[in-house]
Amino acid sequence: MRKNSIKNTRINGEVQKVLAEIIRGEIKDPRISPWTSVVAVEVAPDLKTCKAWISVLGDEEAKKNTLAGLKSAVGYIKRQLAKTINLRNTPEITFVMDQSIEYGVNMSHKIDEVLASDAAASAQDEE
């Protein structure tokens, strides 16, 4: 199975959906933020490993705690994944913090600031 095959894309989508449900509804660890989302999942073609990019809304401490909570619950998550999805192998899950949403929000704020300062400068020039 190639990396970008239709089958692999379907497996990635299904694993992402099930991981999000497990993290949102089944894990009772207080370290895991309720504002945790699974941004992307990449399952290796041999179904042995899986990288899951997660995003956490909150400060740096919440992100660190959520990542620690997920790493400690990886056995439970893998077991629930195996019960839900019937794959030949259940992949070993590695959680990676994704900064893209935070980066996008930050860039949006910077663009808004520049537009506001340009509008203020043009209003001042007209006076």
Side-chain angles (χ1 to χ4, degrees):
M1 179 169 63
R2 288 188 318 257
K3 187 174 183 178
N4 292 327
S5 69
I6 294 171
K7 181 180 178 185
N8 201 9
T9 304
R10 256 194 351 250
I11 290 172
N12 289 344
E14 188 65 24
V15 169
Q16 180 178 357
K17 186 177 84 169
V18 171
L19 272 179
E21 290 171 4
I22 291 170
I23 290 171
R24 187 178 335 111
E26 297 180 26
I27 298 179
K28 303 291 188 247
D29 194 330
R31 293 179 291 181
I32 297 174
S33 170
W35 301 103
T36 302
S37 59
V38 180
V39 177
V41 169
E42 186 177 301
V43 179
D46 63 356
L47 304 176
K48 299 277 188 202
T49 60
C50 167
K51 268 190 179 178
W53 283 271
I54 60 164
S55 177
V56 179
L57 191 63
D59 60 348
E60 208 59 41
E61 187 70 24
K63 292 177 185 180
K64 231 173 18 177
N65 288 340
T66 299
L67 204 53
L70 288 173
K71 286 182 180 177
S72 71
V74 77
Y76 173 79
I77 293 170
K78 183 178 176 181
R79 193 166 49 253
Q80 294 302 106
L81 190 65
K83 285 181 185 176
T84 309
I85 301 177
N86 186 18
L87 293 173
R88 186 178 330 116
N89 299 316
T90 303
E92 291 293 328
I93 304 167
T94 305
F95 291 103
V96 180
M97 192 58 68
D98 183 47
Q99 306 292 342
S100 63
I101 294 174
E102 183 179 329
Y103 178 77
V105 169
N106 189 21
M107 290 306 290
S108 178
H109 285 303
K110 288 183 179 182
I111 290 170
D112 290 343
E113 288 173 7
V114 169
L115 290 176
S117 67
D118 281 351
S122 65
Q124 196 174 36
D125 289 342
E126 291 176 4
E127 291 177 358

